Amino acid sequence: MDLACPECGRTYADRWRCECGAPLAFADQSLPSVDSPEKASLDPRDGLWTFEEFLPVGAESEDRVTLGEGYTPLVEAPEWDATFKLEYVFPTGSFKDRGATTTLTRAREVGADRVVEDSSGNAGAAIATYAARADIPAEIYVPAGVKESKVKAIRRAGATVTRIEGTRQDVTDACIDAVKDGDAWYASHAWNPAFFAGTATFAYEVAHQRDWSVPDAVVTPLGHGTLFLGAYYGFRALRDAGWTDRMPKLLGAQAAGYAPIAAERHGEDAVEQHNDIVDGIQIREPVQRDRILDAIEETDGDAIALSEKAVATELERLHEAGFYTEPTCAVAPAALRAYRDRGVIEPADDVVVPLTGSGLKG
């Protein structure tokens, strides 16, 4: 399927960025033309690929690069008066497998013989693992100070790890330079539209698990917006197809000190502190910034920044309640409390929060 630029309208057979510099999207992401969702043939035993008809990749089942990922549990969390979707039960321990399965499927479809990715950990581990499944060599660019447990996961999948000194943006720049040399395909969780096609399945699963209803609000971590925008694209597609009657309010949770969307919404004074334990979303220049802001605007959503103390406290609460997650994951439940305190979420609102990464990652 061709890729299109939402900004200038150019189309491409396969490219990671438009000539104008904007991120690309699949030209057609509409849902199957059936009269109602009840008439769709959906079998949760197929995991994420239950929604194969909704996906712009993997039309031929032999092209799919899969480890049985997806259709994660949706469980009640009484202490939070919310429902948690346990995204940390994926094969590599994070929701990034949603995008990795579709991205490596796309890589196989276009004949990529080597892939590269830049990541602070989870996306790199997911891409490395699914590249191994596809038998495609992978190189993952990571920050020099990334957690050793995440580097081990990448190396054990057979990928090459390249450490880059400097900021998170320096890591991306080094990876893009390698792509420009023309010797690798960019399997980016921030740029590649196939990755967002995968994370959109989060919304399809939530709606299906709730008998085709959507919650009042969804609270997600927000760095590059991989899951936030995936949820937006998925819920929007369901609404536009008439499968659901509305979209949930999409609420982002950023790390203080790394919160450009929250700063845009509430001013720099709202994000003066630094939250260094939330390493998975330390993104100061998100590629999809404008689309994130559009998603917030369209859903009457918001983004706020969370302090290190608030996240550390929430992480303890999660562990004590039996949800063994990594620190970055705790930013969304912490934000849920803050949104309630601000009146953004009402006491009677029905809320879904994804728990995005496993505590086994260290």
Side-chain angles (χ1 to χ4, degrees):
M1 182 180 291
D2 284 346
L3 303 177
C5 176
E7 305 299 326
C8 71
R10 290 186 180 94
T11 59
Y12 304 93
D14 187 59
R15 186 184 170 103
W16 68 273
R17 180 171 63 184
C18 180
E19 291 174 27
C20 74
L24 297 171
F26 284 102
D28 180 11
Q29 298 192 70
S30 59
L31 296 189
S33 55
V34 297
D35 294 334
S36 68
E38 289 75 15
K39 293 185 179 180
S41 177
L42 300 174
D43 186 347
R45 291 174 297 181
D46 293 329
L48 178 155
W49 291 96
T50 295
F51 303 95
E52 60 182 332
E53 293 184 69
F54 294 32
L55 295 170
V57 300
E60 302 296 330
S61 58
E62 61 268 21
D63 286 334
R64 294 175 195 164
V65 182
T66 179
L67 289 164
E69 61 290 317
Y71 216 87
T72 57
L74 196 63
V75 302
E76 295 299 319
E79 183 178 334
W80 288 264
D81 193 18
T83 305
F84 287 166
K85 191 156 171 60
L86 307 189
E87 296 287 275
Y88 61 85
V89 302
F90 273 95
T92 75
S94 92
F95 81 93
K96 294 287 176 58
D97 290 358
R98 288 192 185 277
T101 182
T102 48
T103 300
L104 267 297
T105 295
R106 177 70 172 177
R108 177 178 278 174
E109 288 175 341
V110 300
D113 54 15
R114 179 171 169 266
V115 300
V116 296
E117 159 73 311
D118 54 286
S119 167
S120 61
N122 285 343
I127 292 295
T129 298
Y130 282 80
R133 182 69 166 172
D135 196 24
I136 299 175
E139 181 176 6
I140 311 298
Y141 288 71
V142 301
V146 72
K147 290 179 180 178
E148 191 60 31
S149 59
K150 293 185 177 181
V151 171
K152 286 180 180 178
I154 294 169
R155 286 196 176 119
R156 286 170 177 167
T160 300
V161 174
T162 299
R163 292 179 181 267
I164 301 296
E165 297 287 347
T167 66
R168 181 64 182 81
Q169 186 60 44
D170 291 330
V171 180
T172 298
D173 292 343
C175 188
I176 289 175
D177 286 343
V179 176
K180 287 178 179 177
D181 290 341
D183 62 349
W185 191 80
Y186 197 17
S188 171
H189 67 288
W191 283 96
N192 200 305
F195 209 101
F196 292 92
T199 56
T201 61
F202 168 85
Y204 305 149
E205 288 181 17
V206 168
H208 190 221
Q209 287 168 309
R210 294 165 49 95
D211 296 324
W212 301 109
S213 70
V214 298
D216 296 310
V218 175
V219 186
T220 81
L222 179 56
H224 268 306
T226 316
L227 185 56
F228 187 90
L229 282 177
Y232 169 64
Y233 294 143
F235 284 120
R236 184 182 66 181
L238 290 168
R239 181 204 61 188
D240 290 352
W243 288 34
T244 58
D245 60 357
R246 60 189 176 89
M247 295 178 67
K249 184 179 295 186
L250 295 179
L251 302 169
Q254 297 202 289
Y258 307 89
I261 306 301
E264 181 86 15
R265 300 279 301 173
H266 303 290
E268 294 291 342
D269 290 344
V271 292
E272 285 183 344
Q273 303 176 57
H274 275 255
N275 182 342
D276 291 324
I277 67 169
V278 186
D279 63 306
I281 53 172
Q282 291 179 348
I283 306 297
R284 290 195 171 100
E285 298 179 20
V287 167
Q288 309 276 348
R289 172 186 170 278
D290 290 346
R291 294 180 191 177
I292 293 168
L293 291 170
D294 288 346
I296 289 172
E297 185 69 24
E298 184 175 346
T299 65
D300 192 27
D302 203 353
I304 57 174
L306 280 297
S307 70
E308 190 167 303
K309 181 180 179 181
V311 174
T313 299
E314 203 65 35
L315 185 64
E316 289 183 10
R317 291 190 182 113
L318 286 167
H319 290 178
E320 290 170 357
F323 299 105
Y324 192 51
T325 67
E326 65 176 348
T328 298
C329 177
V331 72
L336 171 61
R337 295 183 190 275
Y339 279 122
R340 282 208 170 102
D341 289 344
R342 298 179 183 205
V344 176
I345 295 176
E346 300 292 338
D349 281 351
D350 179 6
V351 185
V352 170
V353 180
L355 300 186
T356 50
S358 170
L360 296 174
K361 288 177 172 285

